[in-house]
Amino acid sequence: MTLVYPENFESKIGFDKIRELLNGRCLSTLGKELVEEIRFCSEFDQLTEDLSLVSEFVSIIQEMENFPTSYYFDLREALAKIRIEGRFLEVEELFDLKRSLETISGIVRFLKQTKEDQLPCLKRLLSGVQVYPYVIERIDNILNKFGKIKDNASPELARIRKELLSKQSGVSKRLQVILKKAQDDGLVEEDASVAMRDGRAVIPVTSSFKRKLNGIVHDESSTGKTSYIEPAEVVELNNQIRELEYAELREIVKILTVFSNDIRPYLPDLLLAYGFLGKIDFIRAKAIYAIDINGIKPYLEDKCQLEWEGAVHPLLMLALRRENRKVVPFNITLTANKHILLISGPIAGGKSVCLKTVGLLQYMLQCGLLIPVRQTSSTGIFDKLFIDIGDEQSIENDLSTYSSHLMNMKFFLKNSNDKTLVLIDEFGTGTEPMLGGAIAEAILSQLNEMKTFGVITTHYTNLKHFASSSEGIENAAMMYDSSKMEPLFQL
């Protein structure tokens, strides 16, 4: 069953831009994925829970301190990798795992430490979330605070690194002696120093004297004036250092493999914990956006209705705020007795903005987002949202603008019921006025008979007369200052 129509419903009302704004407020790919998964919902209990979660997080941001907001790393792919025996986490992944698990632990601790009657919905998210101190402790035994492998991560690594340091020190001292003698003999520039080439310690010798220093030439400068020579007497020591470095790498891989084997039994719980982190990131992004637009959770009832006070278009609000201007709020009511609102008024007087605001706010609400209305507002939920707005002329389908509107009206009449909200802009336009007005009146009459809810804008006088004499339809207009000859943008 189609819940929203048409397919590009979101772009028509501007919800695609709200997705972008929510994405920008997420801290991780975990949250961004959930933003992309936002879908229109008509389940009352689910919506109540979703809106309460966001409302509770708004109170965290505004009234509480020290909620963890760092290191929201997505380790799901890395953890999935080590399901396979023999695979292991890289050092960087291990460091990210530690910091993100500490964040998850911090969030769990934060929520549990609040008063018993605080944040009940967010606390319910903790069900099933397991964070094992053992995992963090094991990582602490392997990595230092900078995310590097500790010398004492294993006894063998400690032995290798100690021997490696000793030999590197011996090579360094010997090279300094050789360098000093080469400088005294005039083979090397006075300001020259030991360099590294391909992991080997070398001495930069003037190329014309390179045969006077016994050793292996590893490189030359781009001009060819300098040769980089590894003295023969340190070649063996450097070979031993290279072997120790390989041994160090093998031991690190062994340490990481053992750790990965140790945490493999905990993978399902760890993946669940990252799902929790993603939900928190997602809810936090919605809460930040709600604060930006002064969004609230209105009183929600399990029936079809709108009783909004001080409703504003959130995207228009943000745009005007950047210009130090304010959007004009409006009040709107749709009930079972007055379920269709027919709005007329001057061109560029705000009719379409009003209609789009209704569509966007109701869609936002039924996607689990708080909306910018006054606290005294109440609202319900609809099973379906349909919109007809803009020019849908199609060359591919050989549809004129008016034909496309008629196709939409056909869909509305076939699929609407008393739990549907339809939004129609410039009802009946696009063809000869008398014909367009007559067809629009017939469609309006049918929608009214089906008890369909709607907000419809029009210029047709016959529709206004029809509305005034029909039960269930309310006439409305955008106010206009006739003395100043300008619209007031008030419904």
Side-chain angles (χ1 to χ4, degrees), residues 10-41:
E10 290 193 1
S11 62
K12 279 185 171 292
I13 61 170
F15 191 78
D16 53 338
K17 294 182 177 64
I18 288 176
R19 276 192 200 270
E20 290 175 16
L21 292 169
L22 289 172
N23 255 312
R25 286 158 175 76
C26 287
L27 297 170
S28 71
T29 54
L30 294 157
K32 290 178 180 179
E33 282 182 13
L34 293 177
V35 168
E36 294 307 313
E37 291 173 10
I38 290 175
R39 293 293 178 268
F40 179 81
C41 172

Side-chain angles (χ1 to χ4, degrees), residues 342-352 424-430 433 436-437 440 456-465 475-476 478:
L342 190 73
I343 305 175
S344 57
I347 293 173
K351 297 189 302 298
S352 295
I424 306 172
D425 195 32
E426 300 295 350
F427 195 29
T429 56
I456 298 169
T457 70
T458 188
H459 287 292
Y460 286 138
T461 303
N462 70 302
L463 294 183
K464 302 175 197 176
H465 290 316
N475 265 317
M478 303 306 298

Side-chain angles (χ1 to χ4, degrees), residues 37-53:
E37 291 173 10
I38 290 175
R39 293 293 178 268
F40 179 81
C41 172
S42 57
E43 295 293 329
F44 179 76
D45 291 340
Q46 182 65 55
L47 279 175
T48 302
E49 185 77 5
D50 290 346
L51 293 168
S52 297
L53 284 167

Side-chain angles (χ1 to χ4, degrees), residues 20-175:
E20 290 175 16
L21 292 169
L22 289 172
N23 255 312
R25 286 158 175 76
C26 287
L27 297 170
S28 71
T29 54
L30 294 157
K32 290 178 180 179
E33 282 182 13
L34 293 177
V35 168
E36 294 307 313
E37 291 173 10
I38 290 175
R39 293 293 178 268
F40 179 81
C41 172
S42 57
E43 295 293 329
F44 179 76
D45 291 340
Q46 182 65 55
L47 279 175
T48 302
E49 185 77 5
D50 290 346
L51 293 168
S52 297
L53 284 167
V54 184
S55 186
E56 287 180 6
F57 213 104
V58 167
S59 68
I60 287 178
I61 295 172
Q62 293 180 330
E63 302 166 17
M64 303 181 189
E65 295 179 349
N66 303 320
F67 186 88
T69 56
S70 301
Y71 309 125
Y72 279 56
F73 299 127
D74 183 359
L75 269 293
R76 292 172 301 174
E77 188 177 334
L79 290 171
K81 171 183 70 176
I82 65 170
R83 282 196 180 116
I84 303 169
E85 197 80 31
R87 300 290 296 276
F88 58 89
L89 295 175
E90 302 291 344
V91 175
E92 296 81 5
E93 293 171 336
L94 195 62
F95 192 39
D96 288 348
L97 178 66
K98 176 193 179 243
R99 291 183 290 174
S100 52
L101 286 179
E102 286 175 340
T103 295
I104 295 170
S105 296
I107 294 170
V108 171
R109 189 164 52 251
F110 180 96
L111 294 176
K112 285 184 175 179
Q113 286 176 352
T114 57
K115 294 177 182 177
E116 190 174 342
D117 58 341
Q118 276 186 306
L119 315 176
C121 296
L122 285 168
K123 284 177 181 173
R124 279 197 287 274
L125 291 181
L126 297 177
S127 175
V129 177
Q130 293 285 335
V131 181
Y132 297 97
Y134 163 77
V135 177
I136 298 174
E137 288 167 9
R138 284 281 283 111
I139 299 173
D140 279 335
N141 290 333
I142 296 170
L143 301 181
N144 62 23
K145 63 180 180 180
F146 303 110
K148 305 299 180 185
I149 299 282
K150 288 181 175 179
D151 292 345
N152 61 351
S154 76
E156 179 62 12
L157 185 63
R159 183 196 66 78
I160 291 169
R161 285 188 170 174
K162 183 178 179 182
E163 188 176 347
L164 186 58
L165 188 63
S166 173
K167 291 194 181 296
Q168 286 172 336
S169 177
V171 167
S172 178
K173 288 176 182 176
R174 188 63 199 140
L175 280 171

